[in-house]
Amino acid sequence: MEDIKSIIANNIAELRQSNNMTQLELAEKLNYSDKTISKWERAESSPDISILVEISRLFGVSLDYLVQSEHDKEPAEEVKEKSDNPRFNKRAISNLSESGAWFVAILAFVITTMVINKITFQYLYFVYALPVALIIRLIFNSIWFNPRHNYFIISLLMWSILVCIHVTFLYFGINAALIYLLGVAGQIIIILWSYIARPKA
């Protein structure tokens, strides 16, 4: 009988490859290092039962599937049937939602310019659209994509909000450049926060 470690190793590797996922991408989703995933796939070690359950949920297969050497269906077929939202569709939905923020900014710019010719604050629409688009990206990235990228998105979001505040104050003739000191403090907090949930070895 084939060793259970080898069976699990082969099944994890097949499921990962059939989903066009790298070892690093799988590692990030499971909060482990890619070296650990490599050891699993080489049958040098095996994930514990809680991680096997997480892997089965991630790929949309049963726990039995991971520990059996023979299956009624090919991995790619089973995952395909249980996957309602292909990765490329999720990316398209995310990008389309983000572009909605810029569409609203352009629409507001056009309408305001046509109705009131003398106003000069129209450029602020595009400044405000940036944090809105980043909030949308943060939401979709948290739901569908790599949560580790949230730290980078949150950093951009923080700085874009500070830019919005600064530019708004400038419009009223107030120089609020010192507000960026808050950004420095916030960036330090975000960096320290990112080290709290480092991948397991």
Side-chain angles (χ1 to χ4, degrees):
M1 182 178 178
E2 190 177 356
D3 179 39
I4 188 66
K5 277 188 179 181
S6 298
I7 294 173
I8 293 174
N10 291 335
N11 286 333
I12 291 176
E14 287 179 4
L15 287 168
R16 177 181 62 76
Q17 292 165 6
S18 67
N19 280 267
N20 297 318
M21 189 181 295
T22 65
Q23 289 184 342
L24 180 59
E25 288 174 331
L26 177 57
E28 289 175 337
K29 289 183 180 296
L30 298 175
N31 199 26
Y32 275 82
S33 68
D34 55 337
K35 291 180 180 178
T36 301
I37 304 299
S38 179
K39 287 182 179 179
W40 292 347
E41 293 187 359
R42 293 198 308 267
E44 293 180 6
S45 64
S46 288
D48 59 37
I49 186 65
S50 62
I51 300 302
L52 285 175
V53 171
E54 194 171 346
I55 291 171
S56 69
R57 288 174 180 170
L58 177 64
F59 290 118
V61 297
S62 66
L63 188 58
D64 288 342
Y65 187 101
L66 292 174
V67 296
Q68 292 176 353
S69 58
E70 296 181 2
H71 309 102
D72 294 334
K73 300 179 180 179
E74 290 296 321
E77 292 178 358
E78 183 163 334
V79 173
K80 186 176 180 181
E81 287 184 7
K82 294 192 176 184
S83 177
D84 296 326
N85 296 302
R87 189 177 183 84
F88 67 90
N89 282 345
K90 292 177 180 179
R91 181 65 65 185
I93 292 171
S94 175
N95 291 336
L96 187 61
S97 300
E98 286 180 49
S99 65
W102 297 105
F103 176 79
V104 171
I106 294 171
L107 182 63
F109 176 84
V110 171
I111 292 176
T112 307
T113 303
M114 289 173 60
V115 174
I116 310 175
N117 294 324
K118 294 183 180 180
I119 60 174
T120 58
F121 62 78
Q122 294 100 318
Y123 69 93
L124 290 174
Y125 296 138
F126 301 101
V127 177
Y128 297 148
L130 180 56
V132 173
L134 287 170
I135 290 172
I136 294 171
R137 173 166 292 194
L138 180 63
I139 292 171
F140 282 108
N141 190 72
S142 300
I143 298 172
W144 285 337
F145 305 115
N146 188 349
R148 295 291 295 178
H149 294 163
N150 284 352
Y151 302 113
F152 179 68
I153 299 173
I154 291 171
S155 293
L156 291 177
L157 176 59
M158 176 191 68
W159 288 107
S160 68
I161 290 173
L162 292 176
V163 169
C164 286
I165 295 172
H166 185 206
V167 172
T168 302
F169 272 92
L170 283 177
Y171 179 77
F172 292 103
I174 303 171
N175 189 352
L178 287 176
I179 199 171
Y180 293 112
L181 291 175
L182 293 174
V184 174
Q187 190 65 62
I188 293 172
I189 292 172
I190 292 170
I191 292 172
L192 293 175
W193 176 28
S194 69
Y195 281 99
I196 294 176
R198 301 185 75 174
K200 303 171 187 175

